[in-house]
Amino acid sequence: MASIDVHRSSDIEISATGSQSHEDRVTAVTNTIASMRDPFGDYEELISISSRVVADGAVRSDLETAFERGSAQYQAYVKDCLISKEKEVFDTIPLLKLKDFGSAPKQATKTQTEKVSAAEERTLFTRILLVSQARNPNLRDVLSYNLTTYPLSIATAQGDMRKTSKSVMAKELEKMTGHPLLDSVEVVSPVAVVLDAMAIIKSLQTADLPETFGEYADVIFQKVLSTANYHNASRVDWVVDQYRELSIKYAEREKRVSTTGLQRVLITNADQKLPRQFTKFLAHPDNKTDLLQFLYTSMRQKELESLQVYVTNATRCSVLARRQPSEASAEIPALNSGHEEADTRLLLHGIHAAEQGSQTVIICSPDTDVLVITLPIAIAHQPAVFGFDTGTGNYRRLVNVTNMAKSLGAPICQAMPFLHAFTGCDTISAFHNKGKKKAVDVLKKDAELQDVFGSIHLTLPVPSEAQQKVENFVCRLYSAKANTVNGARYELYKNGRTSSALPPNDDALNLHLKRSVYQTRIWRDVSQQLTEVSPVGSGWCLSDGQLSLKWTERPVAQAQDLKVRESMQSTD
């Protein structure tokens, strides 16, 4: 026994490789635990510890009542199958089908959408047929009414906005002005670059996403710096959207959330892992708000050299301090803003940069809305040169907006924001199968129309003369000879057009005009720090505490409501 070596190193010692392997495993476990939500915290929301997904109302209700509902099912089984024996003992307990964190609502299929559209068409022709049974029917009068639940010229059969390709407007503007690009000779220092934050965030490909939120913040900040360096800028502005609950974009955001099963995920620390489906994560407005707050906090910790960086978060804007961690960042009151959309806030920052001495202001955004609302700004803030950096890959280009605006002329530049809103943007519906090109062609040939569109946002309510001009524009958009939309509906219906191919009646068009003017006022007032005018009464209404589109004032027509009754009575 004495000869036995009980201290053999192979039994009690671990090799360096083995030690590192064990340490890596322990580190992985501790990092996983550290990245989880504290299960003992005092939270208002019901949150998944591992994924940080926040339960919505239905999921929370089902999870919190699961035990009680399950117990009730069990008690019912005992009573019916074991005590009273009213049912067989082998009868199954009905499945409750409770929702959990993995539950997601189903999206409406194309077939279902087509069925609704077909039903609306049948409803239209049924109503016309019923009315036509009256003696001496006045079809022109019939067609002046809303004959479907929603005006199908600007709404889908489900009551959603009609969409259009906004990029066509940018292509038409570039084509009209000879594709004016901003070359290096025209870029005069100092240069300011204004970035659409969400565009930068969405530009990252899934394959390029890092593992944690902390690493993601570093990648985003490097993209900000690299974009500034690309344009040799001495100033760069990081401009964010705001995501309000009471918003004219609420319906579209709520639709995305409800139809694609998006989930709320809280960000708690830099070591937290990015969600696997990051694109779906970004589609939820509350997730975007949290991410922008996290990035803002992260940017304030960065060390800067000579570059001047302006960062926004919610309504606030700060300029980061140089050559030190930016805890000492200073708030810029002139850039504190209530603008909901980054589209207009980008121009607020662009104007500020020009007024602070920047000779070249480059707006970086993929959105045609930004190009359109920059046109009157570029006219008004010369000699500063405004550029528009847009597109990706081989399609990336730097448009000289100042030269474009000079080529178009002030009247067209001032008219473009209303034209763009009226023919369809993110918040305003488009006319079914009526694109931007035809609208631009009509506008550029009519100087009087340019003047009306350029000033239509200045006087509320819109003067009757301007309303008549807009109505005539719609008739020309539909290639109708009539001067009123009700007359155009009658003319086109006689030529065999379906309901969606008819222009809206005067009732629906009036509300569409109000919405377009409201959006135009926001776009044309970009120099104002706050935009707090309520949209209620401007084509939107409050429904269950949220803004919703108001498509019509008058109800859908029934046979007894129409003036056909009068013609019947007059012949009796």
Side-chain angles (χ1 to χ4, degrees):
M1 295 289 291
S3 64
I4 298 177
D5 183 5
V6 296
H7 298 291
R8 287 177 298 176
S9 61
S10 60
D11 289 340
I12 64 174
E13 294 182 3
I14 302 176
S15 65
T17 302
S19 176
Q20 185 62 48
S21 176
H22 284 273
E23 184 175 344
D24 290 343
R25 293 175 184 177
V26 172
T27 301
V29 172
T30 56
N31 286 344
T32 299
I33 295 174
S35 66
M36 288 184 174
R37 183 76 170 184
D38 178 6
F40 304 107
D42 184 17
Y43 313 120
E44 293 182 0
E45 307 97 338
L46 183 62
I47 307 167
S48 168
I49 296 175
S50 58
S51 67
R52 289 178 178 74
V53 170
V54 179
D56 62 22
V59 171
R60 179 167 187 160
S61 176
D62 281 357
L63 291 178
E64 290 181 339
T65 61
F67 180 80
E68 290 80 359
R69 294 168 71 178
S71 297
Q73 291 278 72
Y74 168 72
Q75 294 297 335
Y77 174 83
V78 171
K79 177 183 176 182
D80 296 339
C81 300
L82 301 181
I83 299 177
S84 65
K85 297 184 179 180
E86 295 176 0
K87 297 181 179 179
E88 295 292 333
V89 71
F90 294 108
D91 282 359
T92 57
I93 299 177
L95 186 65
L96 288 176
K97 297 182 180 180
L98 302 178
K99 294 182 176 65
D100 58 22
F101 285 103
S103 301
K106 294 182 178 180
Q107 191 168 5
T109 63
K110 183 178 180 181
T111 302
Q112 291 171 329
T113 301
E114 290 171 346
K115 286 180 179 179
V116 175
S117 299
E120 286 288 352
E121 287 289 346
R122 288 197 301 271
T123 300
L124 169 68
F125 291 112
T126 299
R127 286 189 172 128
I128 292 178
L129 180 61
L130 289 172
V131 171
S132 68
Q133 293 176 352
R135 282 174 282 179
N136 300 320
N138 186 341
L139 187 58
R140 184 188 298 271
D141 188 52
V142 171
L143 288 168
S144 70
Y145 282 78
N146 300 305
L147 298 172
T148 53
T149 306
Y150 303 105
L152 298 183
S153 52
I154 54 176
T156 67
Q158 294 82 13
D160 297 325
M161 294 193 305
R162 293 279 187 187
K163 296 296 184 180
T164 189
S165 176
K166 296 193 304 179
S167 62
V168 172
M169 178 65 83
K171 293 177 182 177
E172 283 301 307
L173 291 172
E174 292 181 48
K175 181 180 177 181
M176 288 169 60
T177 55
H179 303 276
L181 300 180
L182 185 63
D183 58 37
S184 57
V185 177
E186 297 171 305
V187 177
V188 180
S189 296
V191 178
V193 172
V194 187
L195 302 176
D196 183 334
M198 195 50 61
I200 296 291
I201 288 170
K202 291 181 178 179
S203 68
L204 280 183
Q205 301 296 317
T206 302
D208 298 329
L209 292 175
E211 188 172 351
T212 67
F213 277 100
E215 294 168 341
Y216 180 80
D218 293 337
V219 171
I220 290 295
F221 192 67
Q222 286 304 313
K223 284 187 71 71
V224 171
L225 297 182
S226 64
T227 305
N229 291 333
Y230 177 80
H231 291 293
N232 296 315
S234 57
R235 165 179 171 163
V236 62
D237 294 50
W238 169 263
V239 179
V240 303
D241 298 274
Q242 296 182 58
Y243 300 94
R244 302 171 181 163
E245 289 189 10
L246 196 64
S247 166
I248 58 177
K249 299 189 75 172
Y250 172 80
E252 287 297 301
R253 291 171 182 164
E254 186 66 14
K255 180 184 174 185
R256 287 197 295 267
V257 172
S258 62
T259 60
T260 57
L262 305 181
Q263 294 177 317
R264 177 84 165 89
V265 179
L266 297 183
I267 305 173
T268 57
N269 57 67
D271 294 327
Q272 180 180 332
K273 295 185 183 299
L274 292 181
R276 292 182 179 180
Q277 294 181 309
F278 195 67
T279 301
K280 290 184 70 173
F281 166 81
L282 288 177
H284 197 299
D286 290 339
N287 291 343
K288 285 190 279 194
T289 298
D290 283 358
L291 179 62
L292 293 173
Q293 172 64 51
F294 179 81
L295 293 175
Y296 172 75
T297 302
S298 175
M299 287 182 182
R300 293 185 61 187
Q301 309 303 317
K302 303 298 182 183
E303 293 187 8
L304 304 172
E305 294 297 330
S306 59
L307 184 65
Q308 199 172 32
V309 180
Y310 290 77
V311 293
T312 60
N313 180 55
T315 62
R316 302 298 179 186
C317 177
S318 301
V319 59
L320 304 188
R322 301 180 186 178
R323 303 182 185 279
Q324 61 181 344
S326 301
E327 286 293 341
S329 60
E331 187 172 308
I332 308 299
L335 292 176
N336 290 342
S337 169
H339 284 285
E340 179 181 4
E341 292 294 307
D343 296 356
T344 48
R345 203 170 185 179
L346 288 167
L347 273 300
L348 176 66
H349 281 248
I351 292 170
H352 181 268
E355 292 175 347
Q356 293 297 311
S358 294
Q359 296 298 302
T360 305
V361 179
I362 298 175
I363 311 293
C364 299
S365 172
D367 198 337
T368 300
D369 297 354
V370 178
L371 173 61
V372 170
I373 61 181
T374 304
L375 289 171
I377 300 298
I379 286 286
H381 287 82
Q382 299 180 63
V385 175
F386 278 76
F388 182 60
D389 185 353
T390 191
T392 58
N394 294 332
Y395 296 99
R396 185 177 181 181
R397 60 203 184 279
L398 182 55
V399 179
N400 189 327
V401 185
T402 298
N403 281 353
M404 175 183 283
K406 290 178 181 178
S407 178
L408 291 171
I412 290 182
C413 290
Q414 292 166 359
M416 274 297 167
F418 174 77
L419 179 75
H420 186 55
F422 189 72
T423 54
C425 61
D426 291 342
T427 56
I428 312 296
S429 54
F431 293 89
H432 183 50
N433 284 343
K434 302 298 174 187
K436 301 282 186 178
K437 185 179 186 306
K438 177 76 176 285
V440 173
D441 288 342
V442 173
L443 177 72
K444 66 183 182 183
K445 297 175 183 177
D446 191 333
E448 185 180 351
L449 188 66
Q450 295 166 20
D451 292 340
V452 171
F453 283 11
S455 60
I456 198 168
H457 65 290
L458 297 176
T459 305
L460 295 179
V462 176
S464 58
E465 297 82 2
Q467 292 185 40
Q468 292 171 7
K469 195 67 179 177
V470 169
E471 195 166 348
N472 180 258
F473 167 76
V474 175
C475 293
R476 294 162 69 182
L477 202 59
Y478 280 82
S479 301
K481 296 178 181 179
N483 291 320
T484 65
V485 287
N486 290 345
R489 284 165 65 84
Y490 174 69
E491 174 188 331
L492 298 174
Y493 181 76
K494 287 197 307 179
N495 293 332
R497 299 284 185 90
T498 61
S499 58
S500 59
L502 302 178
N505 69 350
D506 58 345
D507 177 32
L509 181 63
N510 180 54
L511 291 169
H512 182 79
L513 173 60
K514 287 183 177 181
R515 287 190 290 271
S516 302
V517 170
Y518 179 86
Q519 180 62 76
T520 303
R521 291 187 70 191
I522 293 175
W523 284 348
R524 294 298 302 273
D525 291 340
V526 295
S527 61
Q528 302 299 317
Q529 292 177 257
L530 297 175
T531 303
E532 297 291 350
V533 179
S534 172
V536 176
S538 296
W540 287 273
C541 60
L542 279 176
S543 177
D544 296 326
Q546 292 295 344
L547 287 171
S548 61
L549 289 163
K550 187 173 185 179
W551 291 110
T552 59
E553 294 277 7
R554 299 195 295 263
V556 176
Q558 303 294 333
Q560 65 270 23
D561 298 327
L562 302 175
K563 292 183 179 179
V564 172
R565 168 180 286 186
E566 296 179 9
S567 68
M568 289 174 58
Q569 293 172 346
S570 65
T571 57
D572 285 344

